[in-house]
Amino acid sequence: MPTRRTILSGFVAVPIVLPRLGHTAGVPKELRPTPDCVDDGDPTPAQTEGPYFTPKSPEKRDFASDAPAGERITIAGYVLTRNCEPVEQALVELWHADQTGTYDNTGFKLRGHQFTDAEGRWWFDTIVPGLYPGRTRHYHLKVQRPGGRVLTTQLYFPNEPENNRDFIFDSALLLDIAAASERKFGRYNFVVG
């Protein structure tokens, strides 16, 4: 008889299957999840919202068309409970700078949200954000399970020279980055309380 732990470890080993969403033939359809959730694990660390949050963002997954000159990346992962159960219909909201380090503060370029699928999966097609003074490359996110508290946090890129100088950088919030022929892929699983 399988134990709860073996069932959960099998779930974590299952790849994220991304729909085609108009991707070109060279883009992989699967990303394996990061193995960052263990039974009774700590929730994802919270971080500051920053000065550039805009409420009431549109529901969308394609941010890359907002900045066609940017380096394309797909970021994806799961929203999980502290017991590693997938969270269906969790809100995942993303906003970030464009390739020059500038935020759109008048509209919704590189801003939007989505809801996780039945397996707790989320993904955005976007660009690698540029640097702006005093910060390393990062994404801002809000994650909320239905009826739960909002987790406000940020995700970072590994091996960035500015990581060690950024005053709020947290290595627990590093994306797992993989390169493909036409774009990068970043993975991160959110654990919410």
Side-chain angles (χ1 to χ4, degrees):
M1 182 96 183
T3 66
R4 183 176 183 291
R5 186 168 299 279
T6 58
I7 291 170
L8 289 174
S9 65
F11 169 76
V12 171
V14 174
I16 294 173
V17 179
L18 297 174
R20 294 292 299 164
L21 295 175
H23 294 310
T24 58
V27 178
K29 295 186 218 177
E30 296 182 355
L31 296 175
R32 61 181 176 81
T34 52
D36 55 358
C37 187
V38 295
D39 288 347
D40 301 317
D42 291 330
T44 300
Q47 290 209 316
T48 180
E49 179 179 275
Y52 301 119
F53 175 70
T54 301
K56 300 181 182 176
S57 70
E59 186 171 348
K60 69 178 181 180
R61 292 187 196 279
D62 178 15
F63 286 38
S65 61
D66 290 345
E71 180 184 3
R72 294 185 63 126
I73 185 170
T74 296
I75 58 173
Y78 288 91
V79 175
L80 305 167
T81 67
R82 290 182 69 174
N83 293 324
C84 301
E85 299 292 333
V87 180
E88 181 178 2
Q89 288 298 304
L91 169 74
V92 181
E93 185 163 11
L94 174 69
W95 69 101
H96 62 86
D98 67 13
Q99 68 276 8
T100 68
T102 304
Y103 284 83
D104 174 16
N105 292 314
T106 60
F108 292 100
K109 288 184 179 175
L110 302 172
R111 296 174 182 277
H113 71 273
Q114 63 180 261
F115 296 92
T116 56
D117 68 12
E119 271 117 55
R121 296 175 294 198
W122 63 271
W123 64 91
F124 291 98
D125 288 321
T126 191
I127 64 161
V128 174
L131 296 169
Y132 67 88
R135 293 300 317 275
T136 192
R137 282 181 220 287
H138 63 281
Y139 294 113
H140 294 271
L141 295 106
K142 289 183 182 281
V143 181
Q144 182 180 23
R145 66 188 292 178
R149 291 184 303 186
V150 176
L151 165 69
T152 301
T153 195
Q154 298 181 33
L155 294 179
Y156 300 97
F157 288 77
N159 305 316
E160 283 287 321
E162 296 298 315
N163 285 351
N164 292 333
R165 293 187 281 274
D166 191 294
F167 63 101
I168 63 169
F169 170 77
D170 184 339
S171 62
L173 296 168
L174 283 170
L175 285 159
D176 182 6
I177 301 288
S181 60
E182 296 179 20
R183 72 176 70 209
K184 290 182 177 181
F185 288 86
R187 296 177 293 112
Y188 193 87
N189 295 339
F190 294 103
V191 179
V192 294

